[in-house]
Amino acid sequence: PSRMHLQLEGWAKEFGTPFVYRMGPRPMLVVADAEDLVPPFRERPDLYRRTSSFDSIFGELGVEGVFSAEGEAWRPQRRLTMEALSQRHLRSFYPTLRLVAERFSARLARLAKEGATLDIAEELKRFTVDVTTLLVFGYDINTIEKDDDAIQRKLELLFPTLNRRLFSLIPWWRFLPIPRERRAERANRELQTWLAGLLAETKARLANETAGYGPKNFLEAMVLARDEDGNAFDDKTIISNGLTMLLAGEDTTAYTLSWAMHHLTDAPQEVTALRDDIAKVLGKEAFPADFETAQRLAYAGAVANETMRLRPVAPILINESLADTNIRDVQVPKGTMVVLLLRPSAIDAKHFRSPENFEPARWLGTLPGPHENGALQPFGSGPRVCPGRTLALLEMRLALATIYSRFDVERVGKSEDVKELFAFTMTPVGLRVRVRERATTQRGVAEIPVPVTPVL
């Protein structure tokens, strides 16, 4: 399972797609061409759903939120999630996001003085988990300024566990609870207990609010929301969605940023272009002042897109057909598992020039040759496109500007030492860096004071 994406991509390159392989007795139809990815994306939830094994496996861990929900159970949860992650909400949330970036910059400055070798993915998870807990729960966990990252340690056990179970031929963990599985389940219970406490506090606080109160975060929105029959969501649904957003908001963005830094260490000319654009947008400011300014960091956005093209952190998606259908000229009977490979079409020369090269400028329309935006689908598409895409891109722009305006980044070890590990998301293994404060800056960011933690 840890290298399944590489095996499937290798077969796609050798045999072309579609092709079929088997997991035990079950045939798995693999598609990778951009045009073949369209039906499984666009025809959800009517003709496709996530594989039915998601229900039991995610349910065992209490992750039954909008990500795994299907049918009518999905629609009201989706509506609330889209509202929580809308541009309107993110615009008002931006000052808090900037605060997290300021803390992160101060932490990197301290680590730079210590000469520490950093597991940069773990450092970036501090940034993303702090952002997510503030946005979703209104809770300032502040793992950046603390060395206590207990929540992060618990979260990092869940994705590998989900991955192992999803790709197992038999549910062996139900009758063979080895220590690794027990640790994951214990971490999950502790997370559920923590979230239940936050939910109880939120309900108690909202009970004292007057009519017309507007929710300030996703948790409040879920508590106040009603379904089509006028009923409140039960605690299990609210906690499941909170955990879903916490999981989805941590690893994916942190790993994409880590892969971006990996590529940038081999491309000093791209670092220069990134810094030039940051200086052009921000002038003498240390951080983007508001949501609109952060959105103008075009080169940082291009770096993010180019990283997602070469290193999609969700390289495999699996859907199940709900009726007899077809993909191009291939019949897809009801109940077929359809495996979507997202990287092959994004590194195909017919869609992008020099497809193996790291060239962020291609996303700014400044390079000649083919460029097919539709061949890149890191967030999916259609009705179930990832609702967090705007937040993820905003975080990536802000984090890249925070890091590269103030610090030089050097990888420790060789590029080939960094490997891809598939554990539901695609993790960079072996990526270690050192950061140093830049000797001179155009904006004097070295004088940024350590921010005082506010009461939120």
Side-chain angles (χ1 to χ4, degrees), residues 48-217:
Y48 291 93
R49 56 160 290 159
R50 294 195 190 278
T51 171
S52 52
S53 62
F54 266 62
D55 292 345
S56 59
I57 291 171
F58 275 59
E60 286 174 342
L61 293 174
V63 189
E64 299 174 278
V66 67
F67 179 76
S68 57
E70 296 291 342
E72 292 307 312
W74 162 73
R75 297 181 190 280
Q77 297 179 53
R78 169 74 172 190
R79 188 165 53 250
L80 282 169
T81 305
M82 291 295 289
E83 171 60 22
L85 297 170
S86 67
Q87 284 204 15
R88 178 184 62 80
H89 192 178
L90 293 180
R91 187 174 284 106
S92 62
F93 176 73
Y94 181 81
T96 303
L97 178 57
R98 173 175 163 153
L99 169 68
V100 177
E102 290 171 350
R103 291 175 178 171
F104 188 65
S105 180
R107 177 179 176 85
L108 288 183
R110 174 172 62 81
L111 294 171
K113 288 180 180 178
E114 295 172 0
T117 297
L118 309 179
D119 182 336
I120 194 61
E122 292 302 306
E123 292 299 323
L124 287 163
K125 282 182 189 178
R126 293 177 182 272
F127 175 80
T128 55
V129 78
D130 282 8
V131 169
T132 306
T133 51
L134 278 162
L135 176 67
V136 176
F137 310 116
Y139 181 79
D140 190 10
I141 193 171
N142 195 7
T143 65
I144 290 174
E145 292 184 329
K146 302 173 184 175
D147 289 327
D148 176 19
D149 53 356
I151 298 298
Q152 193 173 317
R153 297 280 76 80
K154 293 176 175 63
L155 287 169
E156 70 184 14
L157 295 174
L158 295 191
F159 269 147
T161 301
L162 288 167
N163 192 56
R164 285 193 302 271
R165 294 181 179 186
L166 282 170
F167 292 105
S168 295
L169 296 180
I170 58 174
W172 54 266
W173 60 91
R174 292 172 186 162
F175 51 84
L176 186 64
I178 62 176
R180 179 180 63 187
E181 300 301 311
R182 291 202 301 268
R183 284 195 299 272
E185 291 181 355
R186 183 168 58 251
N188 180 59
R189 288 193 299 271
E190 291 168 353
L191 283 168
Q192 299 270 352
T193 300
W194 176 64
L195 291 172
L198 290 181
L199 175 58
E201 291 175 10
T202 299
K203 283 186 169 182
R205 184 175 65 254
L206 292 179
N208 297 320
E209 295 295 342
T210 58
Y213 175 81
K216 302 295 189 297
N217 54 62

Side-chain angles (χ1 to χ4, degrees), residues 259-308:
W259 284 119
M261 294 175 72
H262 171 61
H263 284 288
L264 286 167
T265 56
D266 294 323
Q269 72 283 3
E270 301 297 346
V271 174
T272 299
L274 173 62
R275 284 173 172 159
D276 288 347
D277 189 62
I278 293 169
K280 177 181 176 183
V281 173
L282 301 188
K284 294 183 178 181
E285 294 297 319
F287 301 92
D290 49 36
F291 176 86
E292 286 74 19
T293 303
Q295 294 289 71
R296 286 168 44 215
L297 292 166
Y299 214 88
V303 168
N305 279 329
E306 184 70 344
T307 302
M308 291 186 289

